[in-house]
Amino acid sequence: MLKKWAYAVIFLIVMIFPIQIVSAHSPIEKRVPEKDAVLQVSPVKVELFFEESVEIHRSSIIVRNVAKEEVQVGRPQLDPSDDRHILIDLKKNLSPGTYNVGVDVISIDGHGLKESYSFELKEPPKENKDIPSFTLDRTFPEDGSILQESPKQIDLWFSKPTELSVFGLLNDKQQSLDTKKPYADPNDPKHFIIELSGTIKGGTYSLVSYAKTDDKEDYKIKYFAVKNVTSITGSASSSNDSIWKHIGLLQLAHWLSYIGMFLLIGSSWFRAIISAHNETNLKWKKISPYVYVFSGAAILFELILNKFQYSEVVIRDFITFNFIWIPIIQLILLTISYFVRWYRGKQILLILSLLCFALTGHSVAPPYGGMLGVVLDFLHLLAASIWVGGLFVLFFMAPKENTASWLKETTKVFSKWALWSIVVIGFTGVWMTLKYVPSFTFRSMLQSYWGEVVLAKIVLYVAIIGLGYWQRKLLLRWVEILVTGFRKLLRIELVIAAVLLLLAGFLVDLSPKEAEQGIYPTKQVQQGIEAKLMITPLQAGANDIDIGFVNAQDIKKVSVKFYSTNGWSTENSAFLLENGVFKLTGSFFHGAGTINMDVQAIKSNGDRVVFPYRIQVPGVMDTNNS
């Protein structure tokens, strides 16, 4: 039996060994200066605002000029009033040029975020006059317009003379249509004309253009319709990424540390509450030193792996991270508990060691629950310890004599505790899932690795409930011959428990946010006007965005701006379908993550009302922006 278990563990190690984890759990919300900003006044500092609390070290912000010389002054500082905000001073009067900002921070639950972005400092113009920025000013057909018949040509007007490198006319299936070669208006070098090869049928069309000057470029997608608005279809390009690329030795270490700690606490509890049989106690005295060593080695293994992961961080900064100093305390508590002879004291130390897991998990971050989240996470772990440890004792430490009667007696009591443990595991698991991912669908869960692992845990959880029910039926009609069958069920339950703990180790380093799918808020009121937003489907790729207004009969135009925290932005006009209802259709969400969306309603008198939204697109997010 032990040989089979050893083979299974070796197989899992071989499968996981070469892979390393890459995961970022605290994206940047705001940068000062912004990404790709062009400044005319030398900035005095760099400021970063994150979605969640972060921990920093002396190299968390490095600012370099084109000669790779560092221009920051001192160390980065964490805002004492907001641990999501970090800043660093810059040297005075920086020279004109491009500056690179290197970011290396760690979220409070131990996941790193590395990013690099640039801003530019230019000399102010000698003459005090406005220099127009380079952009696509307008098109014909206009963005968001509905024509009653096919246009004969497409017109593009830019703010400066330019070179039109790419142009495309796409139908609602995102198929390219034939057009004649674009040419510049001989009377206006800012105006380009693209003649159509023939008439186009009714539906929605996309105008795709890429133009550039000596130092600037402009990429735009504009939309128009002929006769009626149809939905643009298509999805974002699929990734060849795999969950196995996100699983490595660190996850194996999590798994091993869970197994060791659960066996220590669960076995201790079983012998204290369920059965203090002499032979069982003797077996545990022989086994427990190995379990202690196993647990301590797993925790130490985690610390070593984290040091390799953050090898550039000096040890003085490294030991201040939550996910380092708490496991160190956990290791100390575990070591002391081994030498303590007072039984209650030993149990208290072990429970405090278990609490350390909850203090370094997702729940410790305020968006995921904070202190209440830590309490529920701890109850989740404690219930799992009682269940797993009890299974271990029943299977491996049953006395050789009178095995059937001992099993019958102890399992009757244990089954009640196991039932309540499963209930607590289920309740706390559901609460944490709803807190971690406040808005989701089954599809969005499947689009994220975190969601896939959670769903796998749910399937195994249901299997455990089924096994428990069958075991209770065996107890009701117990006979000697059923001992073998009962032990087989225990073996299966132990295997499922081991797999569940492995999945739990995976979840520690996967982002719950990738399973989230939502619009915040879906409905809002500004200046007495109510706006309701609907996005179908809410995923990366082509979408229909419907905006309905109430008490807004005088709204004549709606412009929608999409922008992300990495500096990307685009703006389009919505189609007016009927009074108070506007629609956009096209590829607005190019990948998973958070997209900000400002709906700007323009009244007939020129007044503008802005409705801000945050859109969470489900799926695996890019974790290493540059």
Side-chain angles (χ1 to χ4, degrees):
M1 172 55 63
L2 288 176
K3 186 181 290 186
K4 291 181 180 179
W5 278 69
Y7 287 155
V9 171
I10 291 170
F11 172 75
L12 285 168
I13 292 174
V14 171
M15 289 292 291
I16 300 171
F17 181 83
I19 316 299
Q20 294 300 322
I21 184 75
V22 179
S23 187
H25 286 199
S26 189
I28 298 176
E29 260 185 356
K30 182 182 176 183
R31 305 165 179 80
V32 181
E34 293 182 351
K35 182 179 180 180
D36 298 326
V38 179
L39 310 177
Q40 293 184 351
V41 177
S42 177
V44 296
K45 63 180 66 176
V46 168
E47 297 183 75
L48 301 171
F49 297 82
F50 296 84
E51 287 188 3
E52 301 173 7
S53 304
V54 295
E55 297 188 271
I56 62 173
H57 50 87
R58 64 192 65 203
S59 301
S60 283
I61 303 179
I62 301 292
V63 186
R64 294 183 173 92
N65 59 20
V66 290
K68 306 298 183 184
E69 299 167 333
E70 295 185 11
V71 298
Q72 77 276 2
V73 177
R75 296 179 55 171
Q77 303 295 319
L78 194 65
D79 185 340
S81 62
D82 184 359
D83 56 7
R84 298 176 303 133
H85 175 207
I86 66 172
L87 60 156
I88 194 168
D89 293 327
L90 300 177
K91 293 179 180 178
K92 295 181 179 179
N93 302 319
L94 298 178
S95 302
T98 301
Y99 291 85
N100 179 268
V101 181
V103 182
D104 183 0
V105 300
I106 300 158
S107 65
I108 198 167
D109 56 1
H111 301 89
L113 169 64
K114 292 187 178 183
E115 180 177 309
S116 176
Y117 73 94
S118 299
F119 65 88
E120 187 178 357
L121 179 61
K122 282 191 171 182
E123 292 183 0
K126 295 180 180 179
E127 298 182 15
N128 187 21
K129 59 182 181 180
D130 293 334
I131 300 176
S133 59
F134 174 61
T135 186
L136 176 63
D137 274 345
R138 62 189 177 95
T139 66
F140 175 81
E142 291 184 2
D143 188 35
S145 63
I146 304 175
L147 307 181
Q148 295 308 309
E149 58 182 24
S150 171
K152 295 181 180 179
Q153 66 182 43
I154 306 295
D155 295 88
L156 308 176
W157 286 271
F158 293 89
S159 59
K160 294 179 181 180
T162 182
E163 174 189 341
L164 183 60
S165 303
V166 175
F167 173 80
L169 175 62
L170 284 67
N171 63 17
D172 54 11
K173 295 180 176 59
Q174 301 196 56
Q175 298 167 330
S176 181
L177 303 183
D178 290 335
T179 63
K180 295 183 180 180
K181 186 176 181 181
Y183 63 90
D185 184 341
N187 299 317
D188 184 359
K190 296 183 292 183
H191 176 206
F192 281 82
I193 301 167
I194 304 97
E195 296 178 356
L196 301 185
S197 300
T199 59
I200 56 177
K201 62 181 182 179
T204 306
Y205 294 88
S206 309
L207 300 176
V208 181
S209 65
Y210 173 76
K212 61 181 179 179
T213 61
D214 292 337
D215 61 343
K216 294 293 180 183
E217 57 185 30
D218 181 86
Y219 173 77
K220 288 288 192 304
I221 301 179
K222 302 296 183 181
Y223 302 92
F224 73 93
V226 177
K227 296 181 180 179
N228 61 296
V229 177
T230 55
S231 297
I232 291 177
T233 58
S235 60
S237 57
S238 60
S239 171
N240 293 323
D241 198 13
S242 163
I243 190 172
W244 297 108
K245 294 182 180 179
H246 294 256
I247 304 301
L249 285 175
L250 190 56
Q251 288 64 55
L252 176 64
H254 296 329
W255 179 45
L256 298 178
S257 59
Y258 283 152
I259 289 176
M261 193 62 67
F262 284 12
L263 293 185
L264 286 172
I265 292 175
S267 299
S268 174
W269 163 86
F270 191 98
R271 291 181 298 109
I273 304 299
I274 305 297
S275 174
H277 192 279
N278 288 336
E279 188 176 342
T280 301
N281 289 336
L282 288 173
K283 285 185 177 181
W284 177 245
K285 285 181 180 180
K286 293 179 180 179
I287 295 173
S288 63
Y290 298 102
V291 181
Y292 267 101
V293 171
F294 179 88
S295 300
I299 296 169
L300 186 61
F301 189 33
E302 282 190 69
L303 291 170
I304 293 170
L305 290 173
N306 275 313
K307 182 54 187 166
F308 275 113
Q309 187 173 353
Y310 300 103
S311 57
E312 72 282 1
V313 180
V314 297
I315 193 69
R316 189 184 302 172
D317 291 347
F318 180 71
I319 60 175
T320 65
F321 296 154
N322 260 30
F323 63 97
I324 297 302
W325 69 262
I326 291 177
I328 290 174
I329 290 177
Q330 184 181 34
L331 190 58
I332 293 171
L333 291 170
L334 188 66
T335 304
I336 294 173
S337 71
Y338 176 74
F339 292 101
V340 168
R341 298 304 176 193
W342 180 42
Y343 190 69
R344 294 300 179 191
K346 184 186 289 287
Q347 287 184 315
I348 291 170
L349 289 170
L350 287 175
I351 289 173
L352 289 175
S353 299
L354 185 71
L355 177 62
C356 292
F357 285 138
L359 292 172
T360 55
H362 288 109
S363 57
V364 74
Y368 294 140
M371 287 308 299
L372 177 59
V374 169
V375 171
L376 289 172
D377 195 7
F378 171 69
L379 291 176
H380 189 80
L381 295 168
L382 186 60
S385 298
I386 290 173
W387 169 55
V388 173
L391 292 176
F392 177 80
V393 174
L394 285 174
F395 190 80
F396 287 103
M397 295 196 294
K400 292 181 180 179
E401 297 181 0
N402 301 318
T403 303
S405 60
W406 182 85
L407 282 174
K408 184 177 181 180
E409 179 185 344
T410 55
T411 48
K412 281 183 178 179
V413 181
F414 172 70
S415 62
K416 295 177 183 178
W417 282 91
L419 174 63
W420 281 108
S421 296
I422 293 295
V423 169
V424 171
I425 290 169
F427 171 78
T428 54
V430 169
W431 187 95
M432 288 187 289
T433 299
L434 294 176
K435 185 64 179 177
Y436 293 174
V437 190
S439 177
F440 64 90
T441 63
F442 182 72
R443 183 186 181 92
S444 74
M445 294 288 277
L446 288 176
Q447 287 178 307
S448 72
Y449 298 140
W450 188 89
E452 288 178 356
V453 175
V454 167
L455 291 174
K457 283 189 68 178
I458 291 172
V459 170
L460 292 174
Y461 177 78
V462 172
I464 285 292
I465 293 175
L467 275 175
Y469 173 76
W470 182 248
Q471 285 172 321
R472 285 183 66 84
K473 287 193 70 173
L474 283 180
L475 287 173
L476 293 176
R477 52 191 182 89
W478 187 279
V479 292
E480 293 290 329
I481 197 169
L482 289 176
V483 173
T484 303
F486 188 80
R487 289 178 65 85
K488 285 181 179 179
L489 290 177
L490 279 178
R491 184 186 299 118
I492 295 171
E493 200 167 349
L494 274 170
V495 171
I496 293 176
V499 176
L500 277 169
L501 293 183
L502 179 63
L503 295 177
F506 291 176
L507 285 176
V508 172
D509 294 297
L510 295 174
S511 173
K513 207 168 190 65
E514 292 178 351
E516 186 177 354
Q517 174 179 287
I519 303 170
Y520 306 101
T522 55
K523 183 171 66 174
Q524 57 178 299
V525 178
Q526 303 285 349
Q527 299 181 25
I529 300 174
E530 181 181 303
K532 185 175 182 180
L533 184 66
M534 182 184 300
I535 302 174
T536 310
L538 209 175
Q539 62 184 51
N543 318 92
D544 285 344
I545 301 176
D546 296 292
I547 310 161
F549 295 98
V550 179
N551 301 325
Q553 292 76 12
D554 61 342
I555 293 179
K556 302 304 179 185
K557 184 178 179 181
V558 169
S559 176
V560 181
K561 180 181 180 180
F562 303 88
Y563 58 98
S564 65
T565 59
N566 65 5
W568 167 84
S569 69
T570 188
E571 189 167 352
N572 287 98
S573 297
F575 295 106
L576 174 58
L577 298 186
E578 54 187 2
N579 190 29
V581 178
F582 291 80
K583 183 185 188 74
L584 292 98
T585 181
S587 299
F588 303 105
F589 308 126
H590 303 297
T594 302
I595 301 293
N596 296 303
M597 177 176 165
D598 288 347
V599 175
Q600 184 173 240
I602 305 169
K603 298 182 179 180
S604 54
N605 63 3
D607 290 346
R608 297 167 184 262
V609 184
V610 178
F611 300 84
Y613 292 91
R614 179 175 65 85
I615 313 299
Q616 191 65 39
V617 182
V620 179
M621 294 179 276
D622 181 12
T623 59
N624 191 14
N625 301 315
S626 58

